[in-house]
């Protein structure tokens, strides 16, 4: 069973910083893209940032220049460093793994349980 274990969420004032982490097994992590999504009440889940197995990153426009995604291949962990946080960043943040399942590149998505990030004004 695939497990993505998130940690590091919490309450922070606007302008502050938080780092959230997502740990998983080597079978899930190695060679696969990882990402962070978020969802706030009444809104659809949206991509925040993703990182390929080779380290290529993609960011939502709303977080560019403030958030940074990274991965530690030795620890099978992906991080999201969030700086200059705004109240609109308040959401449940979900870790995502896209695990390649065949040579054609088909993949299966896996999700963590989510971690709450609340930014007060």
């Amino acid at each position: 069973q695939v497990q993505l274990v998130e940690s590091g969420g919490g309450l922070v004032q606007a302008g502050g910083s938080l780092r959230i982490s997502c740990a998983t097994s080597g079978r899930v992590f190695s060679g696969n893209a990882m990402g962070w999504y978020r969802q706030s009440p009444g809104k659809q889940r949206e991509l925040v940032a993703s990182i390929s197995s080779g380290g290529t990153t993609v960011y939502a426009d709303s977080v560019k220049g403030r958030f940074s995604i990274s991965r530690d291949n030795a620890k099978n962990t992906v991080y999201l460093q969030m700086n200059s946080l705004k109240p609109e960043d308040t959401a449940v943040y979900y870790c995502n793994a896209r695990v390649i399942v065949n040579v054609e590149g088909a993949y299966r998505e896996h999700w963590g349980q989510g971690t709450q990030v609340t930014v007060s004004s």
Side-chain angles (χ1 to χ4, degrees):
Q1 185 175 353
V2 173
Q3 281 192 315
L4 302 174
V5 181
E6 297 132 335
S7 60
L11 173 65
V12 64
Q13 287 189 330
S17 298
L18 272 179
R19 188 178 79 159
I20 55 178
S21 305
C22 172
T24 187
S25 68
R27 180 178 67 85
V28 172
F29 193 85
S30 181
N32 294 305
M34 302 291 295
W36 288 97
Y37 288 70
R38 68 186 181 188
Q39 188 170 21
S40 52
K43 294 187 177 181
Q44 289 190 329
R45 191 172 296 189
E46 62 175 359
L47 174 69
V48 176
S50 66
I51 184 167
S52 72
S53 59
T56 300
T57 57
V58 174
Y59 295 95
D61 287 343
S62 59
V63 307
K64 282 181 181 176
R66 300 189 298 122
F67 290 11
S68 177
I69 188 171
S70 61
R71 59 191 293 157
D72 185 331
N73 293 331
K75 296 182 178 180
N76 298 326
T77 300
V78 62
Y79 303 97
L80 185 68
Q81 177 67 43
M82 303 180 287
N83 300 325
S84 301
L85 281 160
K86 304 175 181 180
E88 51 263 44
D89 294 318
T90 295
V92 177
Y93 284 70
Y94 295 92
C95 181
N96 170 271
R98 288 190 170 185
V99 180
I100 302 296
V101 297
N102 63 28
V103 295
E104 285 80 26
Y107 59 85
R108 183 171 295 134
E109 290 197 294
H110 301 277
W111 297 91
Q113 80 283 359
T115 185
Q116 177 71 46
V117 172
T118 302
V119 184
S120 63
S121 57

